[in-house]
C-alpha cells in the first residue's frame, strides 16, 4: 500500500493475555520504529529496526515486550501477560535513511490497545 | 540524552491571526528538528524539518519554523491561522551524530476559532 498499515486498529483484551500488533511499512523503507502514545502524551519510543535487526530497543519497558522483523519488512510487536497500564495507542513508523527525506518518519494510524 | 519541551498544553488563536507554537530542545550534539501534526483519528503527519542550512524552514500547509541555536528553540509559526489548522502539534528532536530515535514532546493542542 501507499502508507504504513497497522492491524488491528483496535484490540480489547483481558489482563494477563498475550497480544500481537502488526505493522506493514512503506515499501523500500529500511528503518521501522515502534512508539507508544498514552492519552495526553507524546509518542514514547519503544524500539527501532534497521533491516531485520533491532538497532535500538532501549525504550521497551520490560521483558514482557518483544518485537520482530524477520524479513526486514513487516514487524510484529508482542506483549505477554498484558497489564492495564499497557493500554495505549501503539504507533508504527517507517523511514528512509538516505536521500532528501532521510529522517522523516511516516506513521501508521496506530493500534489502540485496551487491557481490561 | 535528548529531550523536547512544549511549554503550552493549549494555544487558542482567532482565525486570520498569526500563530506560534513553542518548542525548546536539548541534545548533546547538533540537532535534527521536526514538527508533526495529528488530526483527530488520524496518524501523525510530517510538517517540516530542520537538518542544516537556512534557519527558517518552510513546510506543508503554510507552516514555517525558525531554528534558534542560542535559545535552543524551534518554534512553529503561521502568518494567518485557519480553522482547519486545529489539531495536536508535536515537536521532535534527534541527535544528528548517530542513529538515535526521534524524541517527541508531549504536544500542544491548537484551537483556531472562527
Amino acid at each position: 500500500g501507499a502508507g504504513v498499515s497497522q492491524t488491528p486498529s483496535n484490540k480489547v483484551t483481558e489482563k494477563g493475555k498475550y497480544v500481537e500488533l502488526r505493522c506493514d511499512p512503506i515499501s523500500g523503507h529500511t528503518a521501522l520504529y515502534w512508539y507508544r502514545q498514552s492519552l495526553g502524551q507524546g509518542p514514547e519510543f519503544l524500539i527501532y529496526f534497521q533491516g531485520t535487526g533491532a538497532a535500538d530497543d532501549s525504550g521497551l519497558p520490560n521483558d514482557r515486550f518483544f518485537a520482530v522483523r524477520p524479513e526486514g519488512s513487516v514487524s510484529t510487536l508482542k506483549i505477554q501477560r498484558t497489564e492495564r497500564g499497557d493500554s495505549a495507542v501503539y504507533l508504527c513508523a517507517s523511514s528512509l535513511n538516505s536521500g532528501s527525506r532521510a529522517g522523516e518518519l511516516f506513521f501508521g494510524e496506530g493500534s489502540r490497545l485496551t487491557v481490561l | 540524552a535528548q529531550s523536547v519541551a512544549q511549554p503550552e498544553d493549549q494555544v487558542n488563536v482567532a482565525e486570520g491571526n498569526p500563530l506560534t507554537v513553542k518548542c525548546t530542545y536539548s541534545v548533546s550534539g547538533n540537532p535534527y528538528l521536526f514538527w508533526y501534526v495529528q488530526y483527530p483519528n488520524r496518524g501523525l503527519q510530517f510538517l517540516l524539518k530542520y537538518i542544516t542550512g537556512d534557519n527558517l524552514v518552510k513546510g506543508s500547509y503554510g507552516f514555517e519554523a525558525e531554528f534558534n541555536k542560542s535559545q535552543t528553540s524551534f518554534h512553529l509559526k503561521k502568518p494567518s491561522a485557519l480553522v482547519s489548522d486545529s489539531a495536536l502539534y508535536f515537536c521532535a528532536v534527534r541527535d544528528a551524530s548517530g542513529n538515535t530515535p526521534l524524541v517527541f514532546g508531549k504536544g500542544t493542542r491548537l484551537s483556531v476559532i472562527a
Side-chain angles (χ1 to χ4, degrees), chain B residues 63-81:
Chain B
F63 283 93
E64 58 189 31
E66 185 163 15
F67 170 59
N68 187 317
K69 188 171 184 177
S70 63
Q71 296 185 4
T72 61
S73 67
F74 190 57
H75 301 330
L76 181 70
K77 300 184 180 188
K78 187 173 181 181
S80 178

Side-chain angles (χ1 to χ4, degrees), chain A:
Chain A
V4 176
S5 175
Q6 291 188 246
T7 55
S9 56
N10 271 289
K11 175 71 178 178
V12 180
T13 191
E14 293 179 344
K15 181 175 178 294
K17 299 289 188 182
Y18 170 79
V19 165
E20 288 190 355
L21 306 175
R22 175 189 165 106
C23 173
D24 198 343
I26 293 172
S27 178
H29 281 195
T30 56
L32 185 146
Y33 303 77
W34 283 99
Y35 283 80
R36 176 169 71 174
Q37 187 175 17
S38 301
L39 196 62
Q41 300 296 319
E44 172 195 7
F45 170 74
L46 296 177
I47 186 170
Y48 152 53
F49 288 90
Q50 181 59 44
T52 59
D56 184 345
D57 64 358
S58 62
L60 294 177
N62 52 60
D63 61 6
R64 295 187 297 106
F65 288 75
F66 189 69
V68 295
R69 194 186 185 200
E71 297 178 359
S73 179
V74 170
S75 175
T76 305
L77 178 66
K78 308 180 180 196
I79 310 173
Q80 298 177 321
R81 304 183 304 280
T82 51
E83 300 177 357
R84 292 192 180 89
D86 299 335
S87 297
V89 177
Y90 288 81
L91 300 172
C92 178
S94 66
S95 75
L96 291 166
N97 276 347
S98 63
S100 63
R101 308 210 72 174
E104 293 175 30
L105 268 57
F106 294 81
F107 282 86
E109 294 193 3
S111 292
R112 181 178 297 278
L113 174 65
T114 303
V115 182
L116 301 176

Side-chain angles (χ1 to χ4, degrees), chain A residues 35 37 40-43 45 48 56 91 100-105 107-109, chain B residues 34 36 38 41-44 46 49 88 90 94 99 101-106:
Chain A
Y35 283 80
Q37 187 175 17
Q41 300 296 319
F45 170 74
Y48 152 53
D56 184 345
L91 300 172
S100 63
R101 308 210 72 174
E104 293 175 30
L105 268 57
F107 282 86
E109 294 193 3
Chain B
F34 299 79
Y36 282 80
Q38 189 173 38
N41 301 315
R42 300 287 301 277
L44 283 154
F46 169 81
K49 68 179 178 183
L88 200 50
F90 293 95
R94 59 173 276 238
N99 277 329
L102 210 51
V103 172
F104 287 82
K106 63 177 174 59

